[in-house]
Amino acid sequence: MFMIRLPKPQKLFLVIILIGSFFSHFSSSSLIVSSVEFIGEATLPTGLSFQKTEVGGLSGITYDAKNNLYYLISDDTGQKAPPRFYTFKIDLSQGKLTDNGVTTVNVTNLLNTNNQLFLPNTSDTEGIAFTSKNTIFVSSEAYIYNQVNPFIDEFSLASGQTISTLPIPDKFLPDPQKKKGIRSNLGFESLTITPDEKFLFTATENALIQDGKEAKSGIGTPCRILEYNLLTKQPEREFLYQTQPVKPFFNPTGKFASGLSDLLALDNQGHFISIERSFTGLGFTIFLFQISLNNATDIRNFDSIAKVDTSEIKPVEKKLLLDLRNLNVSLDNIEGLTLGAKLPSGEQSLILISDNNFRRLQQTQILAFKLKPEPPLTRLLRRLRILNP
């Protein structure tokens, strides 16, 4: 066999180039978070008025890096004002968020496919994701009792006009017999787009009716993550996401709600941050997880996972990043998250938003964090351990 023998200095130089190239590719192609550091809070009172609308019900947030603006979707079904999204400025220039660091700068009404304002109770807009084409995608939950189906539509950022509608797979659509589909108010709460804008992801907040039971005290629920190809505007893969069981320590009211409230694509390699939010009677339990789709089973061909041997299904991998109960803040109804502006240190910020439900005892809460990425060398060693156990 013909071989080229390199002098030792050239061999060393070649090894250095290869390692540098690997680290460069690895760091640019994927984002693994090692820790999350809290850097401040801001709040907006319930009842805050802006351009003749009440600012509230903010259940999703997305970031426009070019203009350093944040867009937030309200889940108002038309009771306070027409369905709409707000534009915020969030000041992180000092490396932290303060209570006067949030400014409302605009509000835009959404228009339906007939180029009209949405009629009351015909939408429940929960998720929002920005694209570089100056559009946003918005997801809406289902109201079975009003026979309102879920939707995922694309809207003009400037005018609010509907540009396109994504098809919803039949298994997600509720039927009159209530034997399949999304549960009322437990549908497409989340929405995110990969950085390359090739794929959009949403997820059910709780299990589809045919997949299993909704979350109860001490019992999690099997949610479905749904992937769309934005080049074809068609649904593709689906994945099983199992929520953590949460059991209230003390719950005299008996009220309980828990589920997957948002997803955030970190890279184009199947890594996300998820929010699991639970109301436990006297307060909220909020978890941030880092998840990976890479080893998860594609369940798109399973109309009901309850009828399948679950040992054949690998759910998405989850790693707890933060239990927000450990923060020195009083938590509200956190429902949305987005990557935000780069901090003066060069590190990436993460912004969370709460839905105040337009209730006087609640408030709109904005929490800011600093993401600490896993060093490339640590990632390499971890990967080698996986390949060579």
Side-chain angles (χ1 to χ4, degrees):
M1 177 175 18
F2 179 73
M3 296 180 63
I4 298 176
R5 296 187 179 274
L6 296 174
K8 287 186 178 180
Q10 293 185 13
K11 286 183 179 179
L12 179 60
F13 181 68
L14 181 60
V15 168
I16 292 173
I17 289 178
L18 290 173
I19 291 175
S21 174
F22 175 83
F23 281 164
S24 175
H25 171 74
F26 211 75
S27 62
S28 64
S29 64
S30 62
L31 175 58
I32 306 294
V33 178
S34 63
S35 64
V36 181
E37 178 185 334
F38 180 57
I39 58 170
E41 171 192 19
T43 59
L44 303 175
T46 294
L48 175 67
S49 179
F50 181 79
Q51 295 185 5
K52 299 181 180 180
T53 69
E54 183 175 338
V55 180
L58 304 180
S59 57
I61 182 172
T62 189
Y63 180 57
D64 173 359
K66 181 179 178 181
N67 296 300
N68 193 24
L69 294 172
Y70 297 81
Y71 308 114
L72 300 95
I73 190 72
S74 174
D75 67 4
D76 187 354
T77 60
Q79 308 309 305
K80 302 283 186 179
R84 59 201 180 277
F85 69 92
Y86 291 90
T87 303
F88 277 17
K89 288 184 178 179
I90 300 178
D91 184 8
L92 300 174
S93 61
Q94 302 302 311
K96 61 183 180 180
L97 177 62
T98 60
D99 203 37
N100 60 356
V102 176
T103 306
T104 310
V105 297
N106 197 25
V107 60
T108 307
N109 291 327
L110 297 177
L111 303 180
N112 61 24
T113 52
N114 295 321
N115 207 28
Q116 302 292 323
L117 294 175
F118 282 85
L119 295 174
N121 300 317
T122 59
S123 69
D124 181 15
T125 48
E126 297 283 353
I128 185 170
F130 171 75
T131 82
S132 60
K133 298 183 297 181
N134 287 323
T135 67
I136 53 169
F137 280 88
V138 172
S139 62
S140 174
E141 288 188 313
Y143 272 105
I144 296 176
Y145 306 109
N146 293 346
Q147 296 183 329
V148 175
N149 280 336
F151 67 74
I152 303 172
D153 288 357
E154 183 180 14
F155 298 88
S156 164
L157 191 62
S159 67
Q161 291 178 307
T162 300
I163 294 174
S164 66
T165 297
L166 300 183
I168 306 297
D170 182 70
K171 68 170 74 72
F172 291 88
L173 297 176
D175 66 353
Q177 291 74 36
K178 303 176 188 176
K179 293 185 177 180
K180 77 170 185 70
I182 285 172
R183 287 181 160 89
S184 188
N185 203 34
L186 292 173
F188 295 145
E189 185 88 16
S190 56
L191 205 63
T192 188
I193 295 175
T194 53
D196 62 10
E197 299 192 3
K198 291 183 179 179
F199 296 96
L200 175 146
F201 291 86
T202 187
T204 60
E205 187 176 358
N206 268 223
L208 297 178
I209 292 172
Q210 70 271 25
D211 278 344
K213 296 182 178 180
E214 59 189 288
K216 301 291 184 183
S217 177
I219 302 174
T221 186
C223 306
R224 281 197 192 228
I225 295 176
L226 172 59
E227 173 192 74
Y228 282 88
N229 184 325
L230 288 182
L231 299 179
T232 63
K233 299 290 180 74
Q234 293 297 314
E236 292 192 338
R237 299 178 298 171
E238 298 172 20
F239 304 95
L240 173 62
Y241 182 106
Q242 184 69 43
T243 67
Q244 297 298 111
V246 175
K247 190 170 184 179
F249 176 73
F250 180 64
N251 186 6
T253 67
K255 295 181 179 180
F256 182 83
S258 183
L260 173 60
S261 63
D262 209 357
L263 288 172
L264 171 64
L266 292 172
D267 54 32
N268 305 316
Q269 316 302 318
H271 300 115
F272 299 76
I273 293 179
S274 66
I275 295 180
E276 293 185 28
R277 177 276 324 270
S278 302
F279 175 68
T280 58
L282 288 178
F284 294 93
T285 296
I286 314 290
F287 295 132
L288 289 185
F289 290 94
Q290 181 161 265
I291 71 170
S292 172
L293 307 183
N294 291 331
N295 297 315
T297 304
D298 181 359
I299 59 172
R300 76 181 110 176
N301 293 324
F302 300 149
D303 287 336
S304 168
I305 61 172
K307 297 179 180 179
V308 178
D309 183 357
T310 54
S311 65
E312 299 178 5
I313 300 176
K314 294 186 72 172
V316 302
E317 297 172 351
K318 296 168 55 180
K319 181 185 81 169
L320 181 64
L321 284 177
L322 183 65
D323 180 344
L324 271 69
R325 292 174 298 181
N326 296 326
L327 301 179
N328 189 27
V329 297
S330 178
L331 295 175
D332 212 292
N333 183 33
I334 300 293
E335 288 197 359
L337 81 167
T338 186
L339 294 178
K342 289 290 181 69
L343 299 170
S345 62
E347 293 171 296
Q348 178 65 61
S349 69
L350 177 74
I351 304 294
L352 275 59
I353 186 77
S354 77
D355 174 0
N356 68 355
N357 294 307
F358 297 100
R359 293 174 180 164
R360 291 289 173 183
L361 295 179
Q362 293 183 250
Q363 59 189 356
T364 296
Q365 182 178 47
I366 302 98
L367 303 177
F369 299 85
K370 179 192 300 182
L371 295 184
K372 300 276 190 179
E374 183 181 70
L377 179 59
T378 303
R379 209 176 317 164
L380 172 61
L381 294 175
R382 176 174 50 78
R383 183 169 178 172
L384 290 176
R385 283 198 296 271
I386 293 173
L387 295 176
N388 301 289

